[in-house]
Amino acid sequence: MNDAHTEAVNQTIQYMKEHLDEPMTTEQLADLVGYSPFHFSRVFKRVTGISLRQYLSALRVESGKIELLQSPSLLVKIGMSIGLASPGTFNTRFKQFVGLSPKRFRSTTESLHRYVNQYEHKPLAWAEEERHALPRIHCRIEAPEAFRGMIYVGLFPRPVPDQRPVSGTAVNKNRTCILIGIPNGTYYVLVAGIPWSLNPRDYFLLGKSLRGKLEHPVHIDEGTDLAVKITLREPLPYDPPIVVNLPLLLFEKDRNNSAR
């Protein structure tokens, strides 16, 4: 990857973070780093995996999460602070990305935090019959030796975790898992490693969590049976925010598994 391109993208992302309450255009952001809009759009997507507009939307929703967890501000005030002046727009965008309305996100963080932490000392266990279904992807996760926490694995339509995955799971005591129930299509395998914490914020604001990604998308049909290995690493400055509510996805999967 071109170092000059990476630096230009990092500079742009930092500018976006500092000016979320202002309107921004591709032309303006490209001019900031001395590129034409067309060329910089291609550079930005090559470095981050998604478009400028998609990245900016994810940053705004992530900033909304931070505001919601920091203070009981009015949603109108929060929306204006991240460049989404309409309460309806903020609510719609937030629910689309995170999976819950802003109000429910704020009210469920502590209970979901307690739910996740119960697995610090007991293993997650999924239905054994799932292991034989096709299509499926066998994942082996390589994490730093010192890592202790929950590892979330998901298949996403884009190389950014900004919506509910088409298939997902989690592991805590081991480093292997299987993704099943996958519709035909092309997807990205994304992984996040979140250390155990007594602070609920650490499970919902994931800028410092470990990351992992299968470099190339996977193509799924009825007979797909893949085995992949993904290595977790420290986050990079240009990594897109993890805006989807991972503890909620784990809770829903666990509840559905128990109901079988």
Side-chain angles (χ1 to χ4, degrees):
M1 193 177 294
N2 186 306
D3 288 344
H5 289 172
T6 301
E7 178 56 33
V9 168
N10 288 341
Q11 182 180 343
T12 303
I13 291 171
Q14 188 58 39
Y15 178 88
M16 289 193 291
K17 288 179 178 178
E18 295 172 356
H19 297 82
L20 288 177
D21 60 334
E22 303 173 11
M24 283 176 262
T25 65
T26 301
E27 290 75 15
Q28 172 193 356
L29 295 172
D31 186 62
L32 178 72
V33 289
Y35 286 81
S36 72
F38 176 76
H39 182 52
F40 188 59
S41 294
R42 295 179 62 189
V43 166
F44 192 93
K45 188 167 186 178
R46 188 181 307 126
V47 172
T48 67
I50 57 176
S51 72
L52 263 167
R53 307 315 300 177
Q54 291 166 345
Y55 202 108
L56 179 57
S57 289
L59 281 179
R60 283 182 162 143
V61 171
E62 182 70 1
S63 183
K65 287 167 59 180
I66 294 171
E67 291 287 337
L68 285 165
L69 294 177
Q70 281 181 338
S71 65
S73 302
L74 292 174
L75 295 185
V76 174
K77 181 181 177 183
I78 293 175
M80 292 181 66
S81 72
I82 61 173
L84 299 172
S86 163
T89 300
F90 176 54
N91 273 277
T92 300
R93 190 76 56 81
F94 193 95
K95 188 170 184 178
Q96 172 192 349
F97 279 61
V98 182
L100 289 173
S101 69
K103 184 176 180 179
R104 284 204 63 211
F105 171 77
R106 186 163 52 193
S107 67
T108 58
T109 51
E110 290 191 6
S111 60
L112 285 172
H113 171 253
R114 290 193 298 271
Y115 161 76
V116 172
N117 271 356
Q118 71 176 307
Y119 286 110
E120 182 174 0
H121 303 294
K122 70 175 184 178
L124 280 162
W126 308 118
E128 192 66 24
E129 61 268 19
E130 290 187 350
R131 306 180 70 86
H132 306 292
L134 291 180
R136 65 187 173 193
I137 301 177
H138 302 253
C139 301
R140 181 159 64 90
I141 313 300
E142 294 195 348
E145 183 64 30
F147 175 79
R148 298 292 182 273
M150 189 74 77
I151 297 175
Y152 297 85
V153 185
L155 274 183
F156 294 84
R158 300 189 305 221
V160 54
D162 64 354
Q163 58 186 285
R164 185 180 296 273
V166 299
S167 178
T169 191
V171 295
N172 57 349
K173 297 296 185 181
N174 57 49
R175 296 290 185 266
T176 61
C177 63
I178 298 177
L179 297 173
I180 64 155
I182 310 169
N184 290 358
T186 299
Y187 306 104
Y188 294 84
V189 185
L190 305 180
V191 183
I194 305 174
W196 302 119
S197 174
L198 296 177
N199 187 342
R201 288 167 50 90
D202 294 336
Y203 291 171
F204 301 94
L205 305 178
L206 305 177
K208 296 180 180 180
S209 67
L210 298 180
R211 301 288 194 100
K213 180 178 74 171
L214 196 64
E215 284 307 310
H216 302 288
V218 294
H219 307 285
I220 304 296
D221 59 33
E222 292 82 356
T224 298
D225 191 3
L226 294 177
V228 301
K229 181 181 74 172
I230 300 173
T231 301
L232 286 174
R233 57 162 172 77
E234 295 292 331
L236 299 172
Y238 53 78
D239 281 329
I242 301 174
V243 292
V244 67
N245 190 326
L246 295 178
L248 174 66
L249 296 180
L250 175 61
F251 172 77
E252 292 176 343
K253 180 177 177 67
D254 201 2
R255 181 181 58 188
N256 293 337
N257 186 71
S258 299
R260 292 177 183 175

